[in-house]
Amino acid sequence: MATWRRGDVILDLYEVLDVVRSGGLGLVHRVHHRGWDIDLAVKTPRPAVVRSPDGIGDFEREAEVWVGLGLHPHIANCVYVRTLEDVPRVFAEWADGGSLAEGVRNRTL
């Protein structure tokens, strides 16, 4: 599995703008969708997760739960899940302002 870096263009569609942060099961990138002219967050599972059938299942269940939440004004929407390089990746709307954990910790919510 190739690591995406700032400036990479994936499928002539997604321009990688930044590697944002690492979460429990994956890595988050900010990409620009050239066709829609919007920025998206892309969550990619860690290589160790991809090698484990249980890990892939956990990642897919997390994505299913997110999609099942539906639209809400205080939740970033999961736009779609797409498999690239044999790896499922979650594409979601991009929201500036840091993570939910940071907002709770800093009492800015």
Side-chain angles (χ1 to χ4, degrees), residues 68-109:
L69 294 174
L71 296 175
H72 189 282
H74 302 294
I75 299 174
N77 181 42
C78 180
V79 181
Y80 52 83
V81 178
R82 182 172 188 177
T83 299
L84 299 173
E85 302 165 334
D86 295 322
V87 176
R89 299 169 195 263
V90 175
F91 289 75
E93 68 179 305
W94 176 258
D96 282 318
S99 71
L100 176 60
E102 291 167 347
V104 170
R105 186 173 44 254
N106 298 334
R107 298 180 183 257
T108 57
L109 295 177

Side-chain angles (χ1 to χ4, degrees), residues 27-42:
L27 183 65
V28 177
H29 293 85
R30 182 178 184 173
V31 302
H32 184 76
H33 189 296
R34 291 177 162 184
W36 295 348
D37 194 26
I38 62 168
D39 291 354
L40 297 171
V42 180

Side-chain angles (χ1 to χ4, degrees), residues 9-15 34-35:
V9 177
I10 313 302
L11 300 177
D12 291 324
L13 183 61
Y14 309 107
E15 179 181 352
R34 291 177 162 184

